[in-house]
Structures are given as C-alpha cells and as structure tokens.
Amino acid sequence: MHADLSRLTFRPERHYAAVVAQQGRVQLDADTNEQTAIQLHHTRTLAADLIGPHGGPRDAAGFRIDYVGGRHDLDTLHIHGGRYYVDGILCDADRPAPGVPVPDEDDQEAATPETPAHWTYWDQPDAFLDPERPGDRLPSPASAPFVVYLQVWERTVTAAEDPALREVALGAAMPDTAARLKVVWQVLPLSLGALEIEESEPSRETVRDAFARWARRRSVPSARLAARAERPGHADEDPCLVKPDARYRGAENQLYRVEVHAGGEAEDATFKWSRENGSVVLPVDEIDGTWVHLAGLGHDGRLDLDVGDHVELTDTAHTSRLDALPLLRVEELDLPGRRVRLSAEPAPGVGRLPHLHPFLRRWDHHAGPRRKGRTTALRGGAVPVTEGEWLPLEDGVEVYFATGGTYRSGDHWIIPARTATGGVEWPTDTARRPLLRAPAGITRHYAPLALVKGEHGAVDLRLAFAPLATGVPAADEAALAAEEQARREEQAAEAQPAGTPPQPGADPRDTTRGDQ
C-alpha cells in the first residue's frame, strides 16, 4: 500500500492470533496495522474455507450478467446488484442509493431520484473503461462466445484522492491521518482462446475448470526479488557515515518500496523505487502544458519536491486500471505559486478531470544503477529491470531480481532500512544469504461470472450457497416420552431419603416411588 508507514510486520506463517498492547510502551502504526491484517486474514480464510474460491448467497448473489447488444450502437453488459465472495473477499455490486435533496422553495414536492437497477459494463465504478479504446470494447459474440469474469484486488486511498478523509479541524498545516484500503472489482471479458478452449459450445464445468487453471497462472507471480545492505567501497573516505562499520548509511530510518512500473518480460520491464514507500503525493489543481498547479506543497523538505525528482502524474482512473504512465522529471519549481514545470506534458486524458482527483506521486530514483563505470539510462523515466545481479539503490541498499521472471505493473516489495543496525530487514537463510521473495502485492483474485453467447443469452457461471442456519426440528412422540421418563426418575431420586434401602421386590434400578 502507498502509505506513510514505518514497516509491515504481518507474517501469516508465524500464526499470531492477536496483537497485545503493553502499558507504558510506544505505540507504533505497525502494531495496529498488523492487528488489522490478522483479523482480515482470519475472516477471509474462514469465508474461503466455507464458501470455496467464489460464491454468493443464494437469495442475494450479485454480479448476474446480461448481454445487451444487437440493435445498440455499443455492446454492453448489465451487472446486477448483490454480494459475491472471491477468495473470501466481499464484493458488493449494489448501486448506492442517491440522496434526497431539500426541495426548492418554489417546488415543495421534489421528486425522489431513482436508483438504477444495475451497473453497466461502461459505468462500473472501478474499471474506468473508454469506448474510444478498442481494447476496452467487448468481443463480438457473433464470431465466438466469450467469458465474463470478475477481477478483484485492493489499493490504498489517501486524502489526496478522497479529501473527505482529512479532518479539517486539524488545520491545513497538519498532515492527513489514516489511509484506507479499498476493494476494487472489475468485470472484464476473456476469450475462449485465452482459456485454451477449442469447443464452440463448452459446458459450464469445462469453462469453470479452464478458468480455474487460467486464474492460478495469473494469480501466482513469477517475479522474485532479494534485498541487502552492503558496505560501499568508498566507506572509509566518507566521514558522514553513521558508524564506521555501517552498511546502510542513510541518515534516517526508511521504508523502501521497489515497484514494477512497466510489466512484461525482463527485457521490457522497468521498476521505480521510493524511500518513503511511495507515500509522497501532492494533489493537482490544474495542468497548463508542462506546468502543473498543485493544491498544496509537502509539509517539509523530506515530503516535498525538488528539481531532478521523477514524478508520476496520475488520477483515480489510471491508478485503478494499473496503467504505467511515463514518469516525468521536475525541471523547475515555483514555490510561491505552487507550480511545477515537468520535462514533458502529461499524457492526454490524464489529470484533466477534477472529479478523478489527479495527483503527483514522487519517486526517488534519479538514474539507473552504475555498471562498469557507466550509468544505466532510464526508460520512460523508470529503471530497466536487470536480472541476475545486485543493483544499487542508494546508501548501500541493493536489490536482486531472479532470472526468468515475468513482471506485472504494480507488483512491489517493501524493504525497511534501519540506522540502529546499519542494515535492512530482509529474511535470510542460516548462512545469512538473502532469500528471494515474491511480491508483497498486488494480489489479484478472479472468478468466472458468465459465458456470453450473444443474442442466445448468457450461461451463468456463478456459484451460490445457502444459509447454514435452519429451524429447530420438533421432537417425535417417542423422544418426548423418553425425556419425560428421565425427568420423573431424576425427581424421584432427589426425593428418596439418603440411605433408604429399596422396597422389597422393587427393582434396585427403579427409583420411582411406590405410590406413583
């Protein structure tokens, strides 16, 4: 998550059940965030174990798909409301009800706005699809059926995107407080060819099985990274080191974030990094050519911009689509006017709509790593991925990409660096060699929704579950008689004086009284 954090400490393999606060101790964001992560992990694991990979409540299952095409100029889908769980994550497709405004003085009977019964493919809340982009359009079912599926992931939202998160009572000079994690769901099309289905009329089970195989391949990233802090070769000549034997030589504790920018194979992929976990964001008011007018500046030099910084100008739409926009260089600053001149004009369609909350995100790389005395050139403002060798970031921090990886935009690794130890917090083996790790995120989840056959309708691929609770069954006559006999025997035993022998001829096991 892009947030101002000290570190992330949740490790599911350690099986911690809760975070226990102790009196008189310093309270850290990491402890609170770990408790939240433990609870989410427990809840979602339980839901996935009970429901399965995906499913919805029988009477309120969401994401029913209707195909609407033919006579319409632009094919679309109707996405009906309700709830659906994907790997235990709740996805809600209900449209929020519009509020009822106070009527005007001249119109005391203002009409109540009607809530649309469904989303459409083009207006679903987190997909931001554009009919002008050919890649966003639905396939034509006239040539072959296609699958509609649900993609689910989480992203961080800060006050830069949702100003309502900021407590205005704290004043403009104070930073924002907590960020939020948002569940992003997107309904997207997928061809049968991508699922390796050759049949023209596949059955439900054939499509579900093929989709499960496709989803497993997509869900498990192949990229691996390791990190370490090494003592630089010129350490003895640098009097500003924290201590003579320090390997991480930064002046402050940092949380480094290494994030894939452009995805693909290693020769095409690039990455960017930040020493502040990518949390330095500045809201944008207006774009005028290469000049960007900011809504405000950072609260100090550490959280501000400087000439030479690389920034990503984006907004809610492009962040939700995980678009890899070019990173631009800060060429000039006009602090009194809160203006920044960038090395190029931002891409068309980016940052021009205020309701999409455009913002600048600062990254801290300035050039690629030095190899053989030469600095690697940046590509699109980001650092090219080089596998199989250690790449220096800064202050002794180095990263290593394993060979044979495939990279996805948004995948990232988190590396805490600490001045107290002069190193980074990264798992190692018994020989203290850094271990290769999969990305800390983004974790993507998938579920099939429908097989669209055009005018012939859509085959529902969703699964449903019934409530576990049922009515208490009434006991039959024999059970009721047995319960009554047991009750009478218990009462008789309590009424019998202690030490009284059984009556002559009575069964010793019979504790009922003779007058009954």
Side-chain angles (χ1 to χ4, degrees):
M1 60 184 79
H2 297 94
D4 188 10
L5 309 174
S6 59
R7 57 177 184 158
L8 295 174
T9 58
F10 175 62
R11 302 291 184 271
E13 66 273 11
R14 296 180 182 176
H15 308 296
Y16 292 143
V19 175
V20 180
Q22 301 184 83
Q23 63 177 347
R25 306 303 201 274
V26 175
Q27 298 298 305
L28 298 177
D29 63 284
D31 297 330
T32 302
N33 293 334
E34 182 173 350
Q35 177 59 59
T36 302
I38 289 173
Q39 188 61 45
L40 270 179
H41 176 73
H42 173 84
T43 302
R44 291 174 175 176
T45 301
L46 176 62
D49 287 343
L50 294 177
I51 299 170
H54 59 89
R58 182 180 57 195
D59 299 326
F63 296 93
R64 179 170 63 86
I65 299 298
D66 289 331
Y67 174 75
V68 182
R71 64 184 182 277
H72 296 269
D73 294 334
L74 191 65
D75 294 347
T76 188
L77 303 172
H78 287 173
I79 306 167
H80 293 269
R83 299 182 300 280
Y84 207 70
Y85 293 83
V86 182
D87 292 334
I89 300 174
L90 171 62
C91 304
D92 193 338
D94 289 323
R95 293 192 74 124
V100 179
V102 176
D104 296 333
E105 294 182 0
D106 299 334
D107 183 11
Q108 293 299 323
E109 296 182 359
T112 302
E114 293 185 3
T115 303
H118 48 70
W119 298 98
T120 72
Y121 175 74
W122 297 106
D123 71 2
Q124 54 181 304
D126 292 311
F128 298 99
L129 301 169
D130 186 355
E132 299 300 323
R133 282 194 293 255
D136 286 353
R137 295 179 183 175
L138 291 170
S140 172
S143 56
F146 63 91
V147 172
V148 175
Y149 71 97
L150 188 62
Q151 175 177 265
V152 182
W153 57 285
E154 290 181 317
R155 73 178 189 89
T156 310
V157 178
T158 66
E161 289 184 81
D162 186 357
L165 298 181
R166 183 182 296 276
E167 174 53 76
V168 296
L170 297 177
M174 294 294 292
D176 58 345
T177 53
R180 302 292 188 273
L181 274 183
K182 179 180 182 179
V183 174
V184 174
W185 60 259
Q186 297 161 328
V187 173
L188 302 171
L190 184 66
S191 68
L192 292 183
L195 297 178
E196 301 178 352
I197 296 178
E198 298 180 356
E199 305 172 41
S200 59
E201 294 290 335
S203 66
R204 278 189 174 93
E205 292 308 313
T206 298
V207 176
R208 286 174 179 154
D209 292 344
F211 186 89
R213 293 191 295 269
W214 176 85
R216 280 194 295 270
R217 294 193 300 268
R218 298 269 297 183
S219 299
V220 180
S222 63
R224 297 292 185 273
L225 178 138
R228 70 180 184 184
E230 282 293 276
R231 178 178 170 83
H234 62 281
D236 295 333
E237 304 172 4
D238 191 344
C240 298
L241 290 174
V242 176
K243 51 184 179 179
D245 59 345
R247 291 182 296 168
Y248 168 62
R249 52 194 179 90
E252 297 181 352
N253 299 316
Q254 303 290 0
L255 186 63
Y256 286 89
R257 180 188 188 93
V258 176
E259 181 174 318
V260 176
H261 185 63
E265 302 299 323
E267 59 269 18
D268 302 318
T270 59
F271 73 96
K272 53 204 174 187
W273 60 264
S274 163
R275 67 178 71 94
E276 304 289 348
N277 191 33
S279 64
V280 180
V281 295
L282 302 171
V284 170
D285 272 344
E286 185 184 2
I287 298 176
D288 183 11
T290 59
W291 282 97
V292 176
H293 298 253
L294 303 176
L297 302 175
H299 295 282
D300 54 43
R302 185 176 61 89
L303 304 176
D304 215 334
L305 297 177
D306 202 353
V307 173
D309 288 341
H310 282 86
V311 295
E312 182 179 9
L313 198 155
T314 185
D315 54 28
T316 297
H318 291 82
T319 301
S320 296
R321 290 174 58 92
L322 295 174
D323 289 338
L325 300 173
L327 302 181
L328 305 176
R329 188 176 183 273
V330 175
E331 300 290 347
E332 185 178 350
L333 290 173
D334 175 16
L335 296 181
R338 296 204 306 261
R339 298 192 309 159
V340 177
R341 185 170 66 84
L342 303 178
S343 55
E345 187 173 350
V350 181
R352 271 75 175 184
L353 301 176
H355 71 276
L356 294 180
H357 304 292
F359 60 90
L360 282 179
R361 188 186 303 280
R362 190 192 78 190
W363 297 95
D364 294 319
H365 61 272
H366 288 79
R370 293 182 63 86
R371 290 192 296 275
K372 298 181 181 180
R374 303 178 64 180
T375 301
T376 305
L378 299 180
R379 187 191 309 150
V383 184
V385 168
T386 303
E387 296 182 331
E389 62 180 272
W390 287 99
L391 307 177
L393 301 186
E394 67 174 6
D395 293 334
V397 179
E398 299 179 345
V399 296
Y400 179 99
F401 290 98
T403 57
T406 300
Y407 300 87
R408 305 180 304 181
S409 295
D411 284 352
H412 60 272
W413 295 263
I414 303 297
I415 309 167
R418 296 294 180 257
T419 59
T421 60
V424 299
E425 296 180 1
W426 193 265
T428 60
D429 64 5
T430 55
R432 302 189 64 80
R433 294 175 300 183
L435 299 177
L436 293 166
R437 283 288 184 258
I442 300 170
T443 304
R444 296 161 173 84
H445 310 266
Y446 305 95
L449 297 178
L451 175 64
V452 175
K453 296 184 176 182
E455 299 304 321
H456 299 287
V459 178
D460 200 340
L461 299 176
R462 298 172 303 158
L463 300 175
F465 57 88
L468 296 176
T470 58
V472 178
D476 56 26
E477 293 298 327
L480 291 174
E483 290 179 2
E484 177 62 21
Q485 179 65 20
R487 184 185 65 80
R488 294 177 61 189
E489 291 176 356
E490 183 179 355
Q491 290 177 345
E494 292 175 353
Q496 183 76 23
T500 302
Q503 296 181 6
D507 187 343
R509 294 171 296 177
D510 186 4
T511 58
T512 57
R513 300 181 62 179
D515 59 348
Q516 292 181 329

